[in-house]
Amino acid sequence: MLDVKRLRVLREVALCGSFSAAADALSYTQSAISQQIAALEREAGTTLVERSARGVRLTEAGEALVRHTEAILARLADAEDELEAIAGLRGGRLRLAAFPTAAATVMPRAIARFREKHPAVELSMEPREPDDALAALKAGEVDIGAVILSDTDQPEVEGMTLTHLLDDPMYAMLPIGHPHASKSRLRLEDLAAEKWMLGSTGKCPDTQILLRACLSAGFDAQIAFHSDDYLAIQGLVASGLGVALIPDLALVAVRDDVVVRALTGSTPVRRIFAATLKEGYCSPATEAMLEILTEVCADFGQGRRELALAS
């Protein structure tokens, strides 16, 4: 078996025309170059370099081996590039999963910033509710999943590493003609007698947050309609069919026939995290996206605070 490092030395000798010049180019000693060539000749079973007072000259066998060496080194470089692309930021792919309100707000900003910095990485994003995103992570279908925990949950999910992105406060949404619509802030208990719009399943984090908040305020929420679509919920509220809690991320587009009011006291909060497999391989692309997501969400939160102060 021919040694690739020694083949590289032979090629450098052929390019430079002498052992001393090859030694300088490779940061070797001249003695080391001579030893490498001698070892390669033993492996090849023939003389590769003829030495004379005027320098060195490759034999016919040496010239043939150098020609093959060029191809071998080129293929090795291609292999190294491909491996780097798979594991790094010069190629490969990164698969994201996000629930609708994150997919409409912070995720597009993060994707745009990531593509600007790392255009060779192929990005994709699937719409997934938090439980589905965790299942997709466990199945190896995605690399990062945006998930929601309620404000009282411990930031732990079995088998997952969680990176905190954002605390997403929830607001009361009322029809524009509601008796409390003129108030700048509301207590949740002010809405105890109202009908509520709610997510479609008990597993929905937003549903759990609403029910828990109402219980803490001293009442059981009376559910009028179920929907996981916040645009649909806005329509139901606007039609006077009830009220709702709306997270900040869902307020990118608000109808003009509803009002949104902050809540006094303990504001219900959705805690948003980026989840990755705890025991999985975290590629450089994944690490870069986690960093960008953290930056984007910090900017988003700061903008929200500035808007609140301005109002």
Side-chain angles (χ1 to χ4, degrees):
M1 179 78 65
L2 299 177
D3 187 286
V4 173
K5 292 182 179 178
R6 291 170 184 153
L7 290 175
R8 199 184 301 271
V9 170
L10 177 65
R11 185 188 66 164
E12 202 64 35
V13 169
L15 291 173
C16 297
S18 71
F19 283 9
S20 60
D24 290 339
L26 295 173
S27 300
Y28 282 20
T29 65
Q30 185 171 337
S31 174
I33 293 292
S34 180
Q35 291 172 14
Q36 291 289 317
I37 294 298
L40 185 60
E41 288 176 329
R42 288 194 297 271
E43 290 174 351
T46 187
T47 301
L48 302 173
V49 178
E50 292 181 346
R51 302 150 180 87
S52 69
R54 292 180 296 178
V56 298
R57 183 180 68 84
L58 266 61
T59 64
E60 183 179 355
E63 290 175 350
L65 191 52
V66 167
R67 287 196 300 272
H68 287 289
T69 296
E70 297 287 355
I72 291 168
L73 294 179
R75 292 299 299 272
L76 283 174
D78 289 343
E80 290 170 353
D81 286 344
E82 185 173 350
L83 288 174
E84 186 176 356
I86 291 170
L89 295 166
R90 293 174 55 188
R93 64 178 180 176
L94 183 63
R95 301 160 301 170
L96 311 172
F99 52 91
T101 52
T105 51
V106 294
M107 294 302 285
R109 300 183 192 188
I111 289 171
R113 190 174 298 184
F114 184 96
R115 279 192 168 160
E116 183 180 348
K117 292 183 176 182
H118 311 294
V121 178
E122 179 185 347
L123 284 175
S124 63
M125 182 175 69
E126 300 180 17
R128 299 258 189 170
E129 293 295 339
D131 282 349
D132 292 337
L134 292 174
L137 279 166
K138 292 177 182 177
E141 297 171 357
V142 299
D143 303 300
I144 300 175
V147 299
I148 303 169
L149 300 179
S150 73
D151 53 339
T152 58
D153 285 336
Q154 295 297 319
E156 293 183 6
V157 176
E158 184 178 357
M160 298 291 162
T161 297
L162 299 177
T163 301
H164 180 252
L165 299 179
L166 191 69
D167 284 345
D168 191 27
M170 304 190 82
Y171 298 86
M173 178 171 283
L174 319 171
I176 196 166
H178 193 280
H180 292 307
S182 60
K183 297 180 180 179
S184 60
R185 288 179 175 270
L186 295 173
R187 298 177 306 159
L188 197 55
E189 48 265 41
D190 292 337
L191 304 174
E194 302 291 337
K195 302 291 186 181
W196 289 86
M197 309 298 117
L198 199 62
S200 60
T201 67
K203 292 183 178 180
C204 172
D206 295 10
T207 295
Q208 296 174 0
I209 292 170
L210 169 63
L211 295 177
R212 190 175 295 154
C214 292
L215 285 174
S216 295
F219 67 95
D220 290 318
Q222 302 177 58
I223 310 305
F225 288 94
H226 293 273
S227 177
D228 290 329
D229 184 342
Y230 277 114
L231 287 177
I233 285 177
Q234 285 196 45
L236 292 167
V237 170
S239 298
L241 299 176
V243 299
L245 283 187
I246 301 289
D248 186 69
L249 288 182
L251 297 178
V252 289
V254 180
R255 296 171 57 122
D256 57 10
D257 49 2
V258 298
V259 295
V260 177
R261 296 292 180 257
L263 294 167
T264 60
S266 181
T267 301
V269 172
R270 302 193 306 177
R271 303 192 68 199
I272 298 173
F273 295 82
T276 55
L277 277 179
K278 184 174 291 184
E279 302 299 330
Y281 170 63
C282 191
S283 70
T286 298
E287 291 177 351
M289 177 56 86
L290 290 173
E291 182 177 346
I292 288 172
L293 276 169
T294 302
E295 294 171 354
V296 165
C297 288
D299 292 344
F300 187 92
Q302 182 61 38
R304 182 175 62 207
R305 285 190 294 273
E306 290 173 355
L307 181 62
L309 289 172
S311 61

